[in-house]
Amino acid sequence: MDDFPMDKIQISGATLASLLHRSSSAAGDIHGYLFGHATLSTPNPLSDHPTTTTTASLLIATITSFLSLPSHLPLPPPPPSTNSTALLGWFSSRRKTPLRPSLKDSTTTISLSKTQSLAFTPQNTNLSLPPSLFLLVTTPFQDQLIHTHEYKGFQYMGHAFEPKSLIIVNIGPSFRSQYDSFSPSVQFPLMDCELRGSNAMMEDETGDKKMSRLKDQKQLDNCAEGFEIDRVSKLMGSEAIYTGELEDLYDKMLAKIDGLSRLVEQTNAKVLEQLEDVTILGMLVLLCAIRSLEMNGNRRPSLNVH
Amino acid sequence: MAIDTVPPLVAAQIKYLLSHCPFSVKVEQMWSGCKNPSLLDRFTLVIPYCLDYIKWDVIYNAMYPLAAPDIIFGPEDESFQPYYDGTEKSCKNSLADWNSRDPARLLSLIIELRNAYMAYQRKRIGEVDDDRLKFEISTMLPREGIEMYMSSGTDKSEEVKFAVPLLDMDLNKLVAGSMWSHPQKIYLQIVFPVGKKYSTAPPTRLKLISSPELKALFSIEEFRLPPWLDGMCTAEYLPILEEMLGSQIKDAVASIETRRKFIMALAPLFGRPIEADPVFCRRATFLASSAVFNFLVHFSLPLQFPKQKAAIILQSSQHFNPQGVPVKSPNLTEYPWSPRWDPSEMADRLFDFLAEESLNFKKYCNQLVQQ
């Protein structure tokens, strides 16, 4: 694992607000994990000034989400990190305490940053960073102050807490650069794929209603054959499984469209056939009518005018 | 009105800590950290260390008093990480298997952490690149119980403080009948500057400090420190100091006996004292009368008795000032005295002096009341 200093820690205004709200609404103290991603970015030295030619790359960590629980409960084993979301570190929120890491904060941070399996790789790098971020949230001792919370970000590096400034990312022109570089990669939600379980509602229904419902369901199932919803869950996983599954779905869809078009063709032919039948029938009717007219013509109706 | 309460489990731990701690800890303030502000679950502990105090905030959780407490150390000690010694697995500690129902747990945690703090300071000072300090530490090390502290403020220059316990004897046992609750000790505070070139200059500060209750027996302020000779180191200085201090303490203990004999010699003349200090024999009060005038005689005996004479104050039992306070005489020191007299002669002469002085005092009292 590398001890690489983070240059910036970013957090979106919404995430921070949600974290502060969670802290203030909790009965006691809380703590939890911080998730997000880290990127090694090389700032574009597009400047008129000739002296600004230093292109040092910056390691920027962005906190996008968190998980919180009362601090008397131990932190659960952290979830495995994915490409888009990594475990960056953790936070501790407690009321009316000095804004300094406590004994528990330091032991937890040390243990997190020493766990080899939790290391993640920032984008554009081949570094391996431990989850060394620590965010401390407290409330001021005096109640009369204007602000309700105080916070400080740290990176645990070389056996010490390095204070890092926390940059809050909001919407607005001054944050355009953040949104320009925004990549819409979102972790697929963990879906509970249990559908149509034993439904208590269904048991109350009467027999024939149940029958008709079953019939509807059967029809629906026919339509959705091969596209069951639990297949969606198979889309999560390694890239190979994902591609295979998607190709399979695509093939099925093509087959289905093929079948449908064939069906349409057949019905079209049938309609045409029927149309032909109809014209023949019409012609026959016409013939019959003419013939009957002719027969009546012999006995032309006398238009007697009295 | 809400009454501030400490969760019973936490209160039991604090009570045990305050009554059983070998050093005198204090709870400075208590406050609440939960939504209900009347539940107090946080407090600042003031812990004596190296003749100074360190303040640690103990953070309990009133919502879940079964949970182990958390500690926030002082702002200067952010690098103090007691349960991390550089190895992957940290050793077992008091917090690992916390049992909130055992009231002794907080005490053992604080003692464990204070010991860890002592080791931490020693390690820090050991890492300082200063030859003088390294030499002093290596020569002082055989002594037990030395505490050291390095101040690391940004504004002040760095210095290292040592607190060296002196006299390897139990002072509590020297005085029969003393009611001292904590072990009495005398320390030498030595302060060395850090980062100066190797020098043999004396330390920037040398000071004797004793536990406060020892003042009744021996006055540290009146002890003159032996001079720090040129080129001396602490290990050479300490034996000289201890020898002087030891003999003076012996004198101080002997002087208790002299004072006791003096008070006993007063008894045949003044009657039994109505109040006297039986342990250190520093004060005694007698009831005296001159004709119908009744008054109290307060004797305060200095530590250097009989070299210094006793201070005498007379207090009338019959005259009161407008505030209802008994009239007292000023401190009487102008009376015949010689430290070479034996106690009975001292008492005789004093009795004669007071027989005359009582008339003056009566006049003084009458004047004061008539005004």
Side-chain angles (χ1 to χ4, degrees):
Chain A
M1 272 191 292
D2 308 306
D3 251 3
F4 202 84
M6 287 182 183
D7 299 289
K8 274 184 192 175
I9 301 171
Q10 296 179 342
I11 185 167
S12 74
T15 310
L16 185 64
S18 157
L19 189 87
L20 294 182
H21 176 256
R22 194 71 64 86
S23 314
S24 59
S25 60
D29 302 335
I30 58 167
H31 62 181
Y33 290 124
L34 295 173
F35 300 100
H37 52 86
T39 320
L40 192 73
S41 73
T42 314
N44 203 350
L46 278 181
S47 170
D48 296 339
H49 212 275
T51 54
T52 55
T53 45
T54 47
T55 53
S57 47
L58 296 169
L59 184 66
I60 300 167
T62 310
I63 300 166
T64 53
S65 60
F66 67 95
L67 179 147
S68 77
L69 64 164
S71 55
H72 68 285
L73 299 173
L75 289 167
S81 66
T82 60
N83 282 343
S84 57
T85 311
L87 177 70
L88 293 178
W90 75 297
F91 75 93
S92 176
S93 158
R94 39 175 198 242
R95 290 196 182 88
K96 289 192 183 173
T97 55
L99 203 58
R100 292 196 297 271
S102 71
L103 175 60
K104 202 180 91 181
D105 297 342
S106 64
T107 45
T108 309
T109 312
I110 291 167
S111 130
L112 270 181
S113 58
K114 294 281 167 228
T115 312
Q116 296 282 343
S117 57
L118 294 177
F120 64 97
T121 308
Q123 286 157 25
N124 313 335
T125 62
N126 45 14
L127 291 167
S128 169
L129 279 186
S132 54
L133 229 65
F134 173 59
L135 181 65
L136 182 58
V137 181
T138 67
T139 63
F141 278 89
Q142 291 89 13
D143 290 326
Q144 286 80 28
L145 291 178
I146 295 167
H147 63 287
T148 56
H149 286 85
E150 289 168 347
Y151 55 81
K152 204 169 180 183
F154 298 92
Q155 188 190 5
Y156 187 78
M157 243 179 63
H159 316 312
F161 283 98
E162 298 273 326
K164 298 273 165 181
S165 62
L166 202 64
I167 298 162
I168 301 169
V169 180
N170 281 315
I171 295 171
S174 51
F175 298 99
R176 179 140 299 158
S177 62
Q178 266 100 359
Y179 283 88
D180 284 348
S181 62
F182 174 70
S183 61
S185 56
V186 175
Q187 195 186 12
F188 214 85
L190 283 161
M191 278 174 102
D192 184 14
C193 295
E194 189 120 1
L195 283 172
R196 285 199 307 276
S198 64
N199 196 336
M201 294 276 281
M202 271 164 87
E203 278 161 27
D204 297 337
E205 291 170 347
T206 50
D208 54 351
K209 252 192 175 172
K210 203 171 176 178
M211 285 300 283
S212 74
R213 185 175 270 272
L214 275 175
K215 210 175 134 198
D216 290 351
Q217 191 60 57
K218 216 170 181 180
Q219 261 183 340
L220 264 171
D221 282 353
N222 265 339
C223 290
E225 209 181 344
F227 297 95
E228 291 83 11
I229 191 81
D230 43 287
R231 291 194 66 164
V232 172
S233 68
K234 289 185 191 159
L235 286 176
M236 295 199 309
S238 75
E239 211 161 312
I241 297 173
Y242 176 81
T243 338
E245 193 65 25
L246 211 65
E247 274 176 357
D248 189 35
L249 279 172
Y250 191 64
D251 283 347
K252 279 216 173 103
M253 209 156 70
L254 279 181
K256 215 154 203 175
I257 290 170
D258 201 34
L260 260 172
S261 54
R262 200 151 292 164
L263 213 70
V264 170
E265 196 189 16
Q266 277 170 11
T267 41
N268 265 359
K270 271 191 183 150
V271 168
L272 276 174
E273 215 173 321
Q274 274 176 359
L275 263 177
E276 252 171 62
D277 287 356
V278 167
T279 31
I280 291 166
L281 204 72
M283 278 165 77
L284 274 174
V285 169
L286 210 65
L287 267 173
C288 284
I290 294 166
R291 193 154 295 169
S292 68
L293 273 175
E294 275 172 4
M295 274 161 69
N296 288 344
N298 298 339
R299 324 179 233 120
R300 204 173 274 256
S302 50
L303 297 165
N304 298 327
V305 180
H306 298 284
Chain B
M1 203 187 93
I3 299 163
D4 289 346
T5 49
V6 182
L9 286 174
V10 178
Q13 307 231 1
I14 297 173
K15 199 179 157 197
Y16 191 92
L17 169 75
L18 295 181
S19 57
H20 289 77
C21 197
F23 37 89
S24 59
V25 280
K26 267 182 267 171
V27 173
E28 197 176 67
Q29 51 170 337
M30 288 198 90
W31 69 97
S32 171
C34 59
K35 280 197 138 177
N36 177 357
S38 63
L39 275 174
L40 305 180
D41 58 352
R42 268 126 225 242
F43 54 90
T44 304
L45 267 188
V46 182
I47 300 160
Y49 179 76
C50 196
L51 303 175
D52 207 337
Y53 294 97
I54 42 175
K55 288 182 182 183
W56 291 349
D57 293 332
V58 182
I59 312 294
Y60 273 96
N61 193 339
M63 294 285 108
Y64 315 96
L66 291 171
D70 196 2
I71 311 251
I72 302 177
F73 303 111
E76 282 197 347
D77 301 319
E78 276 193 23
S79 54
F80 174 45
Q81 290 157 0
Y83 296 140
Y84 174 68
D85 53 357
T87 51
E88 286 295 309
K89 282 263 173 277
S90 63
C91 48
K92 262 237 170 278
N93 59 58
S94 295
L95 286 170
D97 54 341
W98 185 258
N99 176 11
S100 56
R101 306 213 178 267
D102 179 1
R105 280 310 179 93
L106 181 62
L107 172 67
S108 57
L109 173 71
I110 294 298
I111 291 177
E112 185 180 295
L113 287 176
R114 192 178 178 276
N115 288 340
Y117 187 75
M118 219 145 86
Y120 157 75
Q121 284 288 353
R122 181 167 292 206
K123 190 165 168 266
R124 269 185 74 198
I125 293 164
E127 285 164 1
V128 171
D129 183 29
D130 187 312
D131 293 336
R132 169 74 184 271
L133 266 180
K134 282 194 164 70
F135 175 71
E136 294 284 2
I137 291 171
S138 65
T139 50
M140 268 196 283
L141 221 56
R143 300 183 76 96
E144 273 180 33
I146 296 179
E147 289 179 359
M148 41 187 106
Y149 176 80
M150 185 163 76
S151 62
S152 53
T154 45
D155 49 338
K156 50 193 169 183
S157 60
E158 282 193 332
E159 52 180 30
V160 173
K161 285 182 191 169
F162 292 95
V164 188
L166 298 171
L167 301 174
D168 193 18
M169 57 173 156
D170 191 353
L171 295 176
N172 291 42
K173 284 187 183 152
L174 276 182
V175 184
S178 67
M179 303 286 279
W180 288 327
S181 50
H182 291 286
Q184 300 299 311
K185 267 276 168 207
I186 302 176
Y187 296 89
L188 178 67
Q189 187 181 52
I190 314 169
V191 180
F192 284 109
V194 172
K196 298 272 158 49
K197 270 192 205 159
Y198 187 87
S199 68
T200 51
T204 44
R205 186 143 58 111
L206 269 178
K207 199 184 171 195
L208 273 189
I209 293 169
S210 75
S211 29
E213 289 160 309
L214 203 64
K215 283 196 179 86
L217 171 69
F218 182 71
S219 171
I220 289 298
E221 284 77 28
E222 283 164 32
F223 179 81
R224 276 194 54 193
L225 284 168
W228 186 286
L229 300 176
D230 208 27
M232 223 178 191
C233 74
T234 317
E236 287 172 316
Y237 183 79
L238 290 175
I240 303 169
L241 173 66
E242 274 188 319
E243 199 183 318
M244 280 176 73
L245 202 59
S247 76
Q248 292 211 11
I249 295 243
K250 220 172 272 171
D251 290 350
V253 174
S255 115
I256 295 178
E257 261 330 285
T258 323
R259 292 197 293 265
R260 194 190 306 280
K261 278 185 185 139
F262 173 70
I263 292 173
M264 280 160 73
L266 289 170
L269 304 163
F270 288 88
R272 285 181 67 81
I274 54 171
E275 206 173 84
D277 163 15
V279 180
F280 303 106
C281 305
R282 294 290 303 279
R283 64 196 90 251
T285 298
F286 294 87
L287 183 65
S289 61
S290 156
V292 288
F293 177 50
N294 284 305
F295 59 97
L296 295 170
V297 189
H298 299 289
F299 290 93
S300 320
L301 309 180
L303 285 169
Q304 274 75 31
F305 187 86
K307 268 182 234 161
Q308 279 178 22
K309 48 183 156 178
I312 301 169
I313 291 173
L314 305 182
Q315 178 187 330
S316 171
S317 313
Q318 294 160 341
H319 303 82
F320 300 90
N321 70 6
Q323 284 81 38
V325 179
V327 177
K328 279 184 180 180
S329 74
N331 207 339
L332 304 175
T333 47
E334 297 300 313
Y335 57 86
W337 185 259
S338 164
R340 284 177 298 279
W341 294 340
D342 63 83
S344 61
E345 192 178 353
M346 289 175 185
D348 277 338
R349 298 240 187 171
L350 256 178
F351 187 75
D352 293 342
F353 166 74
L354 285 175
E356 271 178 44
E357 187 60 31
S358 65
L359 298 174
N360 291 338
F361 180 53
K362 190 181 174 185
K363 216 181 276 169
Y364 169 76
C365 287
N366 286 334
Q367 277 174 359
L368 214 69
V369 172
Q370 275 165 12
Q371 276 174 7

